[in-house]
């Protein structure tokens, strides 16, 4: 196969998918152990589908949609689990002395040689999407094995002894590990363990939407919950009160940080695990979905020496990611950044982070007062929950500190009335607030199966009502990469209110939210729905997604 010796970067440049400049940039910025294809995907220069098409066309390597391919269970025994996971390789079909293996990187000759030596067969590589391979390997090598074992090892009337919930080779331990691994493989942000009257359901929140993965027998409920509590260092004997904990572990060679919350319900304890992805915290402000205009506005806010910048939105709208991106932007040796959070979601180098502990009196307000004696330049408050915290934050901003925080409101303008409800005087609000960012997350159209289709009449009407025109929109048709949903990943839509002199006058005169909103509109404020529709025009999301999270006014 002499053609296969050609380097991947050269193939992609020849195919016109990337430029020499993009190739050189990626080669210079990728880590030593990162493969070029993965680095190009991370940078967004190519999609996985484009990468597969080039390899399929240029090298004659067949492409397999592994999610729709029948897997022979006998073949799984040929390739050791550790090898399959390390090289993202899944045996598909055997023909005499040849073994067809689906691989994420069919140009990895070391992996092919290792597979040949392990199996004794001549390896015929095929190419498949990495996420599909990860899901399939997890399903066939781990989850199915653990499920069969745990189902067979104890009957409904039995319960596992404590040591079986702790022992690493115990079926319940492996089952919980594989449920987490499966969630990671499907890019889930949360895993829900829901007790029902007759069964115990496992649900994944993927791209903001909950979907049931499996229903387990009711008698497995208590041992699974006990195992999760042990992992999170929670009290396994306490089932009447909510508990919060944290798990730091390694699943399939990946370090995983998980927040755990338990809640007593009438059918038993419900457990929610939040899978924290550290790569989200490492974003810079150019990569969190701001338009060019909003990036400039937000960057200018961060340049101010003092004042308050608020990020608003409901739970799960990406506020923390935006806050951390702002902190990364501001983080340098010349400034002292201190945060007070509940909980500390991501641990950042060079930043002093404080965990709220209300049981010992360390509240947001008390922590903030202590921070002010630590010579800070920039403060980050996880959330302004009460009038005491709001007042201390306001005073801090007026004494020369830049303060970043979040607030639970539906829009940027409503944050002003929320602060007023907390008892903050209008003159303090007008002089301390620099700007307010309202944010929501919408699902992104899958890059691999997205296609241009004509906009329907309703979409044209919606766009026309906002002063925009639309002829075509981009929709995902469903493929293995997006699990046949048409969406893969999420992107933020924003509404940024800058507090200028006109807005300050309305705040001081205690004007209504409607008046402030109308003035902001006249001054060119793009509301959430406007920003969302602009992203629909760019082919990033769909009108349905925007209207799911934003309201037409």
């Amino acid at each position: 196969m002499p053609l296969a010796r050609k380097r991947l970067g050269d193939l992609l440049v020849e195919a016109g998918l990337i430029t020499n400049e993009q190739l050189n940039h990626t080669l210079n910025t990728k880590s030593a152990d990162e493969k070029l294809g993965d680095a190009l995907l991370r940078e967004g220069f190519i999609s996985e589908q484009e990468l597969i098409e080039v390899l399929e066309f240029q090298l004659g390597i067949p492409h397999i949609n592994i999610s729709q391919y029948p897997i022979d269970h006998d073949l799984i025994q040929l390739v050791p689990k550790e090898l399959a996971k390390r090289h993202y390789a899944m045996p598909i079909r055997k023909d005499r002395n040849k073994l067809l293996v689906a691989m994420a990187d069919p140009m990895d000759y070391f992996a092919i040689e290792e597979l040949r030596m392990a199996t004794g067969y001549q390896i015929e590589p095929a190419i498949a999407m990495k996420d599909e391979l990860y899901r399939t390997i997890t399903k066939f090598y781990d989850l199915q094995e653990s499920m069969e074992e745990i189902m067979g090892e104890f009957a409904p009337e039995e319960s596992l002894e404590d040591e079986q919930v702790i022992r690493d080779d115990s079926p319940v331990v492996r089952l919980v590990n594989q449920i987490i691994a499966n969630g990671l493989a499907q890019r889930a942000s949360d895993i829900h363990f829901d007790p029902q009257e007759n069964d115990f359901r496992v649900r994944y929140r993927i791209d903001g939407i909950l979907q049931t993965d499996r229903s387990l027998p009711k008698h497995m409920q208590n041992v699974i919950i006990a195992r999760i509590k042990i992992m999170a260092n929670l009290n396994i004997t306490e089932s009447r009160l909510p508990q919060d904990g944290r798990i730091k572990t390694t699943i399939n060679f990946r370090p995983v940080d998980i927040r755990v919350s338990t809640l007593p319900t009438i059918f038993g304890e419900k457990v929610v695990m939040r899978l924290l992805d550290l790569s989200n915290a490492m974003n810079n402000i150019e990569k969190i979905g701001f338009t060019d205009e909003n990036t400039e506005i937000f960057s200018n806010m961060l340049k101010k020496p003092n004042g308050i910048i608020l990020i608003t939105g409901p739970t799960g709208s990406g506020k923390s990611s935006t806050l951390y991106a702002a902190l990364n932007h501001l983080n340098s040796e010349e400034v002292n950044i201190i945060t007070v959070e509940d909980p500390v979601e991501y641990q950042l180098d060079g930043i002093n982070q404080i965990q709220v502990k209300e049981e010992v009196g360390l509240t947001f307000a008390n922590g903030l007062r202590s921070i002010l004696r630590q010579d800070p330049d920039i403060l980050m408050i996880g959330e302004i929950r009460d009038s005491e915290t709001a007042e201390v934050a306001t005073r801090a901003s007026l004494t020369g500190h830049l303060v970043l925080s979040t607030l639970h409101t539906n829009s940027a303008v409503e944050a002003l009335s929320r602060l007023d409800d907390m008892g903050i005087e209008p003159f303090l609000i007008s002089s301390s607030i620099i700007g307010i960012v309202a944010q929501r997350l919408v699902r992104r159209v899958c890059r691999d199966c997205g296609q241009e289709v004509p906009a329907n009449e309703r979409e044209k009407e919606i766009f026309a009502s906002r002063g925009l025109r639309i002829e075509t929109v981009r929709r995902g048709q469903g493929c293995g990469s997006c699990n046949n949903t048409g969406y893969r990943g999420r992107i933020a839509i924003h509404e940024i209110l800058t507090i200028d002199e006109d807005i300050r006058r309305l705040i001081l005169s205690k004007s209504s939210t409607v008046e402030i909103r109308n003035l902001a509109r006249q001054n060119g404020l793009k509301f959430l729905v406007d920003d969302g529709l602009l992203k629909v025009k760019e082919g990033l999301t769909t009108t349905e997604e925007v209207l799911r999270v934003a309201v037409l006014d």
Side-chain angles (χ1 to χ4, degrees):
M1 234 168 102
L3 266 176
R5 294 292 172 189
K6 190 173 275 192
R7 294 183 306 176
L8 176 62
D10 296 332
L11 286 175
L12 293 169
V13 171
E14 283 176 19
L17 290 174
I18 61 171
T19 64
N20 273 312
E21 290 76 21
Q22 289 173 328
L23 175 60
N24 291 330
H25 168 78
T26 308
L27 288 170
N28 291 332
T29 56
K30 78 180 188 71
S31 59
D33 58 346
E34 187 177 24
K35 292 185 177 178
L36 177 61
D38 291 338
L40 288 165
L41 291 170
R42 174 176 52 75
E43 290 286 348
F45 292 148
I46 58 169
S47 71
E48 195 168 1
Q49 187 65 37
E50 289 169 337
L51 180 62
I52 286 171
E53 284 171 2
V54 165
L55 293 175
E56 188 175 17
F57 177 72
Q58 299 279 8
L59 305 178
I61 297 173
H63 168 221
I64 285 179
N65 187 343
I66 200 168
S67 62
Q68 298 174 0
Y69 207 94
I71 303 293
D72 186 343
H73 288 259
D74 294 334
L75 292 183
I76 292 172
Q77 312 300 323
L78 290 174
V79 177
K81 178 165 70 172
E82 188 272 334
L83 203 59
K85 287 183 175 180
R86 183 152 44 87
H87 294 306
Y88 288 93
M90 187 74 188
I92 299 293
R93 190 177 64 239
K94 186 174 70 172
D95 182 16
R96 295 189 181 90
N97 67 330
K98 293 181 181 177
L99 183 65
L100 180 67
V101 179
M103 302 177 69
D105 184 3
M107 297 176 72
D108 187 339
Y109 301 104
F110 294 108
I112 291 171
E113 184 62 17
E114 201 173 345
L115 286 165
R116 185 188 67 77
M117 293 179 68
T119 62
Y121 288 86
Q122 184 182 335
I123 303 300
E124 291 282 332
I127 187 167
M129 288 189 173
K130 195 171 186 178
D131 278 359
E132 276 192 279
L133 281 166
Y134 187 30
R135 283 198 296 268
T136 307
I137 290 167
T138 300
K139 177 181 175 183
F140 283 95
Y141 277 96
D142 292 323
L143 204 56
Q144 203 147 338
E145 173 197 8
S146 296
M147 278 296 297
E148 287 168 0
E149 287 193 16
I150 195 168
M151 298 288 283
E153 282 199 16
F154 69 102
E157 65 273 6
E158 294 176 331
S159 63
L160 291 182
E161 301 295 330
D162 286 348
E163 59 267 22
Q164 288 183 278
V165 184
I166 300 169
R167 209 177 61 238
D168 283 344
D169 61 347
S170 161
V172 69
V173 170
R174 290 208 312 280
L175 176 63
V176 171
N177 286 347
Q178 296 321 317
I179 288 172
I180 296 170
N182 200 28
L184 289 169
Q186 298 194 50
R187 308 181 320 279
S189 59
D190 301 85
I191 304 174
H192 290 236
F193 295 85
D194 287 340
Q196 304 295 316
E197 186 172 8
N198 299 313
D199 62 6
F200 185 53
R201 290 178 195 167
V202 179
R203 298 196 292 169
Y204 295 126
R205 186 178 293 281
I206 301 169
D207 294 335
I209 306 296
L210 267 175
Q211 51 195 53
T212 300
D213 181 71
R214 63 184 62 241
S215 292
L216 300 174
K218 185 69 175 175
H219 63 270
M220 292 169 65
Q221 176 176 313
N222 289 341
V223 290
I224 289 174
I225 290 173
R227 172 58 191 163
I228 294 169
K229 283 183 171 182
I230 286 169
M231 292 173 76
N233 289 320
L234 300 179
N235 183 353
I236 64 170
T237 62
E238 178 57 78
S239 58
R240 300 163 300 171
L241 294 172
Q243 295 186 70
D244 292 303
R246 198 175 189 117
I247 299 171
K248 284 194 174 184
T249 184
T250 301
I251 304 283
N252 289 347
F253 311 106
R254 283 176 67 181
V256 183
D257 199 358
I258 304 170
R259 257 173 45 202
V260 178
S261 171
T262 72
L263 186 73
T265 72
I266 57 171
F267 296 126
E269 283 181 281
K270 173 181 168 66
V271 178
V272 176
M273 305 174 101
R274 166 67 56 90
L275 306 178
L276 300 174
D277 182 0
L278 194 59
S279 61
N280 283 344
M282 294 299 111
N283 272 330
N284 59 49
I285 59 174
E286 284 82 21
K287 291 188 176 180
I288 53 178
F290 283 127
T291 60
D292 291 342
E293 182 185 352
N294 283 342
T295 300
E296 186 178 351
I297 294 170
F298 193 59
S299 297
N300 288 336
M301 285 182 187
L302 295 175
K303 289 175 185 173
K304 297 285 174 69
N306 59 276
I308 299 178
I309 299 172
L310 292 173
I311 316 287
T312 75
T315 303
S317 60
K319 298 189 298 297
S320 294
S321 295
T322 302
L323 271 183
Y324 283 118
L327 289 180
N328 279 332
H329 181 76
L330 295 165
N331 193 10
S332 70
E333 287 187 4
E334 292 79 36
V335 293
N336 179 18
I337 302 177
I338 307 181
T339 76
V340 53
E341 307 169 59
D342 184 23
V344 173
E345 290 196 11
Y346 304 106
Q347 290 156 16
L348 305 179
D349 285 339
I351 293 176
N352 308 284
Q353 296 171 274
I354 299 170
Q355 168 73 54
V356 166
K357 291 189 176 72
E358 294 196 356
E359 64 272 16
V360 295
L362 180 54
T363 61
F364 275 116
N366 290 339
L368 199 48
R369 286 193 186 93
S370 301
I371 287 173
L372 292 174
R373 295 191 285 273
Q374 290 281 320
D375 184 32
D377 298 293
I378 298 165
L379 309 174
M380 193 272 266
I381 308 164
E383 183 188 342
I384 294 179
R385 293 178 180 171
D386 50 50
S387 55
E388 191 181 9
T389 308
E391 191 162 334
V392 180
T394 306
R395 302 285 179 191
S397 72
L398 294 174
T399 53
H401 302 93
L402 182 64
V403 180
L404 286 78
S405 189
T406 68
L407 202 61
H408 284 273
T409 62
N410 290 324
S411 69
V413 175
E414 286 174 34
L416 297 170
S417 59
R418 178 82 181 97
L419 290 171
D420 187 48
D421 289 342
M422 286 182 174
I424 307 301
E425 293 292 338
F427 75 90
L428 288 175
I429 297 173
S430 66
S431 55
S432 63
I433 304 292
I434 301 170
I436 304 166
V437 180
Q439 178 170 314
R440 299 289 187 281
L441 291 177
V442 292
R443 289 185 291 174
R444 185 195 283 264
V445 173
C446 177
R447 285 186 61 174
D448 294 325
C449 64
Q451 294 179 3
E452 295 283 335
V453 297
N456 60 42
E457 290 304 314
R458 176 60 181 147
E459 283 178 313
K460 290 178 180 177
E461 288 173 16
I462 291 167
F463 273 79
S465 70
R466 312 302 293 190
L468 299 168
R469 288 189 61 190
I470 188 84
E471 295 300 328
T472 61
V473 294
R474 190 170 172 82
R475 293 187 191 281
Q477 307 304 304
C479 66
S481 178
C482 62
N483 217 6
N484 295 312
T485 61
Y487 298 98
R488 179 182 164 87
R490 287 189 288 177
I491 190 170
I493 60 174
H494 301 94
E495 169 182 306
I496 303 185
L497 176 67
T498 306
I499 308 300
D500 55 20
E501 289 306 316
D502 293 335
I503 301 287
R504 282 196 177 91
R505 275 197 293 272
L506 290 185
I507 295 170
L508 286 169
S509 62
K510 296 193 173 182
S511 299
S512 68
T513 301
V514 175
E515 290 174 289
I516 297 173
R517 191 177 175 84
N518 288 338
L519 177 62
R521 191 199 304 272
Q522 290 168 24
N523 290 350
L525 172 65
K526 284 188 173 63
F527 295 106
L528 281 168
V529 70
D530 299 315
D531 192 52
L533 294 179
L534 287 174
K535 288 183 168 75
V536 174
K537 278 181 75 76
E538 291 176 39
L540 297 172
T541 187
T542 61
T543 314
E544 295 88 345
E545 275 298 293
V546 173
L547 297 182
R548 182 173 64 85
V549 298
V551 180
L552 281 169
D553 53 6

